[in-house]
Amino acid sequence: MAKADRLEQLDARRLDLEAEYREQLVTALRATAAGKWGLFDHNADRRTRAVIAPVIDGLTETAEAIDKIRDRLALPAFELHRQFLQSRGPVTSHAVGEPKQAQAWLDRLSAESPDGF
């Protein structure tokens, strides 16, 4: 019984961390949608990277904690963070800007969540 309780507590912690990650990501996406560039690293500008680094580091730290728990629970890796990382980096000149990309992410996350986020 004790092991089941520990696993239940661990899963509850995972859910809390995933909600925290989502909240951090939504906050960053809203700022980007409002015109603050850097979250998606389209321009590869050193100064912009330095400004956004704490946000990226915070998201990565939280995602790593989630993945450790998911590993212990034999669950697949945290997909939302992987998708976010894949969406970052240089893009072609015809790609949408970061604000539009952030809004698309917000729309998708809102549609996926029963409470809107």
Side-chain angles (χ1 to χ4, degrees), residues 57-70:
D57 292 345
L59 288 168
T60 301
E61 250 180 58
T62 305
E64 287 171 354
I66 292 166
D67 277 336
K68 284 180 184 176
I69 293 172
R70 285 178 155 268

Side-chain angles (χ1 to χ4, degrees), residues 5-83:
D5 289 340
R6 283 194 308 271
L7 290 176
E8 188 176 322
Q9 288 175 347
L10 194 59
D11 196 40
R13 176 69 179 140
R14 174 191 63 86
L15 292 172
D16 288 344
L17 284 171
E18 288 180 4
E20 181 182 320
Y21 179 92
R22 191 178 186 91
E23 189 176 310
Q24 290 173 351
L25 182 59
V26 165
T27 298
L29 288 168
R30 284 182 176 150
T32 302
K36 183 178 179 186
W37 283 65
L39 184 64
F40 293 103
D41 198 27
H42 284 189
N43 296 332
D45 177 66
R46 282 187 294 154
R47 202 171 107 237
T48 304
R49 279 183 180 159
V51 170
I52 201 70
V55 173
I56 301 301
D57 292 345
L59 288 168
T60 301
E61 250 180 58
T62 305
E64 287 171 354
I66 292 166
D67 277 336
K68 284 180 184 176
I69 293 172
R70 285 178 155 268
D71 187 50
R72 288 186 60 198
L73 295 171
L75 295 172
F78 188 50
E79 185 66 18
L80 182 59
H81 185 64
R82 187 191 65 74
Q83 291 171 359

